[in-house]
Amino acid sequence: MSRLPLASIPAGPVAVPGAVAELAAGDTVTPVWRNQLGGLTFRLEDANGGTRYVKWVAAGTPEIDLPGEAERLEWAGRRWAAVPRAPAWGRNADGAWLVTAALPGRSAVDPRWTADPATAAAAIGRGLRLLHDTLPVQECPYDWGVERRLRGRDEAVRQRLGEPPAVDRLVVCHGDACAPNTLLHDDGTFAGHVDLGSLGVADRWADLAVAAWSTEWNYGPGYDGVVYDAYGVAPDPERIAYYRLLWDLA
């Protein structure tokens, strides 16, 4: 297996950026996620039980476009998909932030679901199929195709990848369909998607290959087939291999 994503729930103390503390305005602040590029997500809880989330990236962090994610969330959630509202974003000299409303449900890597990985993997597959079947390709202004993802990469990357396989089915892809970004209701049904900063049109296998792969990182081997079955597709070894390598290289 190639390198694994380094995203995880923070295990030790996390310094709260000044902008996040200002946004909290006295609310309880809890770090809940650190992504592979060092971006942080905090949960803010007020005295009445209200919850919202703030994503934070330090200035100079590459390839994280929070204003772009806010646009994608607005577009996807306008009438189509179960995604959080993003009422505010901003930046200063230290970094940028995005505020999102809470959705019902727990992440597929919450301890509740890592203890029941078959249920979680099935919800990932069903949720991805729902997203792909719901979002209208013809109306999507965002691109996540191979050429877009390889823009600026050197020729050695292109040579290692080779020619992409023919498109199976164009859909509006999530863009980061790893297990943590699917939410489940407590009965095990799909609840929603988060972290759609790369949402855009691409072959559905760009999502599927990585979503199924991520079950190995989060649950152990043997659950990738559950994702494909729940989605309603047979594994496609050629496309799976290509899009997993693209994920690593791009």
Side-chain angles (χ1 to χ4, degrees), residues 25-38:
D27 292 350
T28 300
V29 180
T30 305
V32 295
W33 196 248
R34 186 194 305 274
N35 70 24
Q36 60 266 37
L37 295 176

Side-chain angles (χ1 to χ4, degrees), residues 83-102:
V83 301
R85 293 182 300 104
W89 66 270
R91 61 165 55 96
N92 60 23
D94 297 323
W97 60 89
L98 173 68
V99 180
T100 61

Side-chain angles (χ1 to χ4, degrees), residues 63 149-158 249-250:
E63 301 182 25
R149 294 173 67 185
L150 289 177
R151 191 175 300 162
R153 307 299 178 181
D154 60 33
E155 186 59 28
V157 169
R158 292 177 177 272
L249 297 180

Side-chain angles (χ1 to χ4, degrees), residues 2-237:
S2 75
R3 62 181 173 83
L4 303 183
L6 301 178
S8 63
I9 299 170
V14 174
V16 178
V20 176
E22 289 182 17
L23 288 166
D27 292 350
T28 300
V29 180
T30 305
V32 295
W33 196 248
R34 186 194 305 274
N35 70 24
Q36 60 266 37
L37 295 176
L40 293 164
T41 300
F42 297 88
R43 182 173 61 244
L44 276 51
E45 297 172 282
D46 65 30
N48 298 316
T51 302
R52 56 204 166 114
Y53 291 86
V54 179
K55 294 179 69 172
W56 164 266
V57 294
T61 303
E63 301 182 25
I64 296 182
D65 176 13
L66 294 185
E69 181 171 357
E71 288 182 9
R72 285 165 169 81
L73 288 171
E74 180 183 1
W75 179 83
R78 195 172 300 148
R79 65 178 187 269
W80 298 304
V83 301
R85 293 182 300 104
W89 66 270
R91 61 165 55 96
N92 60 23
D94 297 323
W97 60 89
L98 173 68
V99 180
T100 61
L103 287 180
R106 309 185 200 198
S107 167
V109 298
D110 183 274
R112 167 71 176 85
W113 297 119
T114 57
D116 186 4
T119 297
I124 291 168
R126 293 189 190 104
L128 202 54
R129 182 60 184 258
L130 180 63
L131 186 80
H132 291 173
D133 286 350
T134 300
L135 294 178
V137 171
Q138 295 79 7
E139 298 180 35
C140 181
Y142 309 109
D143 178 22
W144 199 55
V146 173
E147 283 303 316
R148 170 67 181 84
R149 294 173 67 185
L150 289 177
R151 191 175 300 162
R153 307 299 178 181
D154 60 33
E155 186 59 28
V157 169
R158 292 177 177 272
Q159 289 181 359
R160 185 174 173 191
L161 271 167
E163 287 297 314
V167 171
D168 173 37
R169 178 189 167 199
L170 275 181
V171 300
V172 179
C173 281
H174 180 292
D176 187 2
C178 298
N181 294 332
T182 293
L183 305 183
L184 281 71
H185 294 297
D186 283 348
D187 64 0
T189 56
F190 167 74
H193 288 111
V194 297
D195 286 352
L196 284 89
S198 295
L199 177 143
V201 174
D203 189 345
R204 63 180 177 174
W205 285 97
D207 266 351
L208 270 167
V210 174
W213 201 17
S214 76
T215 64
E216 297 183 38
W217 311 331
N218 292 284
Y219 311 136
Y223 297 99
D224 54 340
V226 177
V227 175
Y228 300 135
D229 287 346
Y231 184 95
V233 69
D236 185 323

